[in-house]
Amino acid sequence: MIVRLDHVGFASPSADEGTALMKRLGLVLAASGAADDYGVSCDFWQAGDDPQGTTVEVVAPTRPDAAITRRVAMSGSSLYHLAFEVDSLAEELSRLRRAGFLPIDRTPRCGAKDDMRVAFVLDPTTDLLIELVHYGG
C-alpha cells in the first residue's frame, strides 16, 4: 500500500545546477547519496526541519550511461518522477502492474540512502514515472 509521498524527483544535467536552484528556493540539504545501479547522485532537499517531510531529490548523472543521461540531454533540468513510500515493494509492484503500469524495474534495487530500496514503474497513459520507495528491512 502507498503510505505517503516521499519525494519529488528533479533531473538535472549536473548536481551543481540542481543545487543552485534548490538554494535559490531556500531549501536545505537533508541527505545525499548515490544510486549506483542507476549511475546517479541524489541530493534530498527539504523545506523546514521535519525529517519525515517530503523532499525534492536532485538527480544528476555520474557516468555517461546513467539512467537519466538521455532525458537530461533532451530536456535539460526538469521534473522527473513522483516517489511514494510503500509498505511492501513486491506487493505494490504487482498491484501496479495489474493496474496497467509498465515495470521499469522488475525487482527492487538499492536506493540513494543506506536503508532505501526502490523500484520504478511508468504510467503509459500519462508518461509519468513513479518511484516506489521502501525503508528498512
Side-chain angles (χ1 to χ4, degrees):
M1 165 171 61
I2 290 176
V3 176
R4 69 182 184 94
L5 178 63
D6 185 73
H7 64 269
V8 175
F10 180 79
S12 182
S14 75
D16 289 342
E17 185 176 314
T19 293
L21 172 61
M22 297 304 121
K23 285 182 175 180
R24 284 197 325 269
L25 287 168
L27 300 183
V28 176
L29 183 63
S32 291
D36 294 329
D37 285 352
Y38 301 102
V40 296
S41 65
C42 304
D43 293 329
F44 295 88
W45 295 82
Q46 70 183 39
D49 57 4
D50 177 4
Q52 294 300 314
T54 301
T55 58
V56 177
E57 175 190 29
V58 173
V59 182
T62 58
R63 61 182 194 236
D65 67 338
I68 65 167
T69 298
R70 196 174 94 184
R71 181 181 181 107
V72 295
M74 292 172 46
S75 303
S77 294
S78 63
L79 290 179
Y80 181 44
H81 65 266
L82 295 178
F84 295 98
E85 184 178 351
V86 298
D87 59 0
S88 170
L89 280 171
E91 289 177 16
E92 279 306 293
L93 277 171
S94 179
R95 183 183 73 80
L96 292 177
R97 283 185 199 138
R98 288 191 310 273
F101 288 80
L102 304 175
I104 304 299
D105 297 314
R106 295 203 177 270
T107 58
R109 298 179 182 218
C110 293
K113 298 177 184 176
D114 288 339
D115 63 343
M116 178 189 241
R117 301 280 295 160
V118 302
F120 284 89
V121 296
L122 181 71
D123 176 22
T125 61
T126 63
D127 206 30
L128 178 63
L129 187 61
I130 301 292
E131 181 181 15
L132 304 175
V133 177
H134 185 264
Y135 292 102

